[in-house]
Amino acid sequence: PQKCDRSLIEELFSLAFIEEAANVVLIGAHGLGKTMLLKNLAHQAVLQGHTARFTLASDMLHDLAAQDSTAALARRLRRYTSPTLLAIDEVGYLSYDARYADLLFEVVTRRYHRRPILLTTNKVFGEWNQVFPNAACVVTLIDRLMHRAEIVALEGESYRLKEAKERAERKAKSRTPTARKQR
């Protein structure tokens, strides 16, 4: 990223947020390294003896929605509420119905004040009504995520797009008549 609070990111790697049960929300466009930071923080937590679960938001929500009974859902919720750290990647890339919003709300509520959530999103909280249209719990969901949270905003251009442009330039140069004669 071209803009980020480096001192905040370095502070996060002390893992003090785990003891505080403070959430960490990484916000920014695609290709800025949110997932890499999320995975590295979770990895550091595991190295320090904490339990952690990494999941894509879509995988977790589909998994929870597929449970066919209240008892099965309660058992499956423990998968996401029992680890010390829950890392949820890519909230905001897809939109979900109210049932999925309710399931995310349930996970956040069960972890609230007890265990932190690491979360990446490409949407500022004001745009989450696009992610969960017609969901009554969105305001409260955001409120609980943000309460005692570290918000890390990343800005810049996608590193994947940059690498793709550089690759295309290298390929184009290798196709020039001079490059072909040198082979």
Side-chain angles (χ1 to χ4, degrees):
Q2 294 163 335
K3 184 178 177 188
C4 68
D5 186 342
R6 185 179 178 97
S7 61
L8 172 56
I9 292 170
E10 289 172 356
E11 179 184 313
L12 292 174
F13 279 93
S14 75
L15 303 179
F17 69 91
I18 293 176
E19 300 307 318
E20 298 170 17
N23 297 324
V24 176
V25 180
L26 301 161
I27 301 174
H30 64 282
L32 296 179
K34 296 182 304 294
T35 300
M36 184 261 319
L37 285 169
L38 181 89
K39 287 181 175 181
N40 284 333
L41 284 166
H43 180 74
Q44 188 64 34
V46 169
L47 291 176
Q48 297 300 316
H50 298 283
T51 57
R53 175 170 298 277
F54 171 86
T55 183
L56 294 174
S58 59
D59 289 347
M60 180 182 74
L61 295 175
H62 291 313
D63 179 34
L64 292 171
Q67 303 310 304
D68 58 0
S69 70
T70 304
L73 178 59
R75 279 190 306 272
R76 191 53 59 116
L77 278 166
R78 280 193 292 278
R79 170 182 278 187
Y80 302 104
T81 58
S82 62
T84 304
L85 188 62
L86 177 62
I88 305 172
D89 195 24
E90 297 185 349
V91 175
Y93 287 89
L94 301 172
S95 57
Y96 302 98
D97 63 23
R99 168 87 170 123
Y100 286 86
D102 292 343
L103 291 168
L104 181 58
F105 177 79
E106 189 68 31
V107 170
V108 169
T109 298
R110 288 178 183 224
R111 295 186 66 86
Y112 185 59
H113 281 305
R114 298 176 350 152
R115 298 188 174 180
I117 295 173
L118 294 173
L119 184 138
T120 68
T121 181
N122 64 328
K123 303 269 190 216
V124 294
F125 289 122
E127 296 175 353
W128 275 37
N129 60 340
Q130 298 167 15
V131 179
F132 301 106
N134 306 315
C137 67
V138 172
V139 172
T140 306
L141 169 66
I142 293 167
D143 185 58
R144 290 188 182 173
L145 272 175
M146 287 181 55
H147 183 227
R148 296 186 340 186
E150 297 291 348
I151 309 296
V152 181
L154 303 172
E155 296 177 19
E157 290 186 34
S158 167
Y159 75 88
R160 288 186 291 266
L161 180 59
K162 179 181 176 250
E163 287 179 358
K165 287 178 183 177
E166 289 170 354
R167 180 180 180 273
E169 288 172 9
R170 283 193 311 274
K171 289 270 194 185
K173 285 180 183 177
S174 72
R175 291 187 206 108
T176 63
T178 310
R180 282 189 218 133
K181 288 179 187 176
Q182 293 176 353
R183 287 187 209 171

